[in-house]
C-alpha cells in the first residue's frame, strides 16, 4: 500500500471565507500516483472546516447567513470561550457545524465524486496562515 501526505496553507483576507480546493486536492492525487484508495482532507485548526458541496455563489452566501444566525460573531462577550481573551467563540461553533474533514474514494486515479460535488475550505477565523492536511492511501 502506498501512502502520501501533503499540507496546504491558506491565509485568507477576510475573517470568514470559503475556498474551492478541489483542484489542489486533484493535484495532490496526481502527485501521489495512487489509482485506487481513499483521500482524506482535513482542516488542521479548530476554527476552520473542510466540507463537500456545490460550487455556487448563492449557496456560499446562504451558508454565511445561516452560520451567522446560528453563531453571530458579535457581541463577542456572549461566548464564555472569549473569556480566555480570544474573540473566536463563534468560529469554533461554525467549524463544528461545517465539519472537520472529508473522505473521498479514489477510483481510476480520480476523485470519485457524486454530481456537483466539490471540496471546500471553510475559514471562520482567518487572516493568519492555517493548514489543511491531505492524506491519500491506496495502490
Ligand atoms: Zn478560540
Amino acid at each position: 500500500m502506498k501512502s502520501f501526505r501533503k499540507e496546504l496553507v491558506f491565509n485568507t483576507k477576510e475573517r470568514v471565507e470559503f475556498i474551492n480546493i478541489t483542484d489542489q486536492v486533484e493535484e495532490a492525487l496526481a502527485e501521489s500516483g495512487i489509482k485506487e484508495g481513499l483521500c482524506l482532507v482535513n482542516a488542521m485548526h479548530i476554527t476552520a472546516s473542510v466540507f463537500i458541496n456545490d460550487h455556487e455563489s448563492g449557496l456560499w452566501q446562504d451558508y454565511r447567513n445561516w452560520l451567522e444566525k446560528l453563531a453571530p460573531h458579535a457581541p463577542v462577550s456572549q461566548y464564555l470561550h472569549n473569556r480566555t481573551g480570544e474573540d473566536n467563540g463563534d468560529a469554533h461553533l461554525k467549524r463544528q457545524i461545517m465539519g472537520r474533514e472529508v473522505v473521498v474514494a479514489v477510483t481510476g486515479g480520480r476523485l470519485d465524486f457524486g454530481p456537483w460535488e466539490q471540496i471546500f475550505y471553510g475559514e471562520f477565523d482567518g487572516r493568519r496562515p492555517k493548514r489543511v492536511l491531505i492524506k491519500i492511501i491506496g495502490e
Side-chain angles (χ1 to χ4, degrees), residues 98-109:
M98 297 304 284
R100 172 182 181 267
E101 78 275 306
V102 301
V103 177
V104 182
V106 174
T107 306

Side-chain angles (χ1 to χ4, degrees), residues 46-47 81-82 84 86-89 92 125:
I46 51 181
T47 53
H81 175 67
N82 291 342
T84 61
E86 292 191 85
D87 68 351
N88 65 3
H92 288 273
D125 184 26

Side-chain angles (χ1 to χ4, degrees), residues 6 16 23 34 38 61-63 72 78 83 86 95 98 102 110-111 113 120 134:
K6 185 175 187 177
V16 176
D23 288 350
I34 291 169
L38 291 172
Q61 192 57 49
D62 291 335
Y63 276 133
Q78 73 192 299
R83 288 182 188 170
E86 292 191 85
R95 181 270 168 96
M98 297 304 284
V102 301
R110 303 296 309 271
L111 295 171
F113 286 129
F120 293 91
I134 302 173

Side-chain angles (χ1 to χ4, degrees), residues 2 18 28 30 33 37 60 62 65 75-76 93 96 100 108 115-116 124 132 139:
K2 278 197 259 184
F18 298 122
W60 298 350
D62 291 335
N65 298 346
V76 296
L93 301 179
Q96 205 70 47
R100 172 182 181 267
W116 305 109
F124 308 112
V132 166
E139 299 290 338

Side-chain angles (χ1 to χ4, degrees), residues 52-63:
I52 290 182
N53 219 298
D54 192 5
H55 186 105
E56 198 279 307
S57 59
L59 182 63
W60 298 350
Q61 192 57 49
D62 291 335
Y63 276 133

Side-chain angles (χ1 to χ4, degrees), residues 20-91:
N20 187 332
I21 62 170
T22 310
D23 288 350
Q24 288 163 84
V25 178
E26 278 174 348
E27 259 172 52
L29 178 56
E31 283 172 48
S32 77
I34 291 169
K35 302 292 179 205
E36 296 292 325
L38 291 172
C39 175
L40 165 79
V41 188
N42 70 266
M44 298 180 82
H45 300 263
I46 51 181
T47 53
S49 291
V50 171
F51 62 96
I52 290 182
N53 219 298
D54 192 5
H55 186 105
E56 198 279 307
S57 59
L59 182 63
W60 298 350
Q61 192 57 49
D62 291 335
Y63 276 133
R64 282 169 169 271
N65 298 346
W66 179 63
L67 290 167
E68 206 52 36
K69 264 186 237 166
L70 286 173
H73 176 67
V76 296
S77 61
Q78 73 192 299
Y79 299 102
L80 300 182
H81 175 67
N82 291 342
R83 288 182 188 170
T84 61
E86 292 191 85
D87 68 351
N88 65 3
D90 66 307

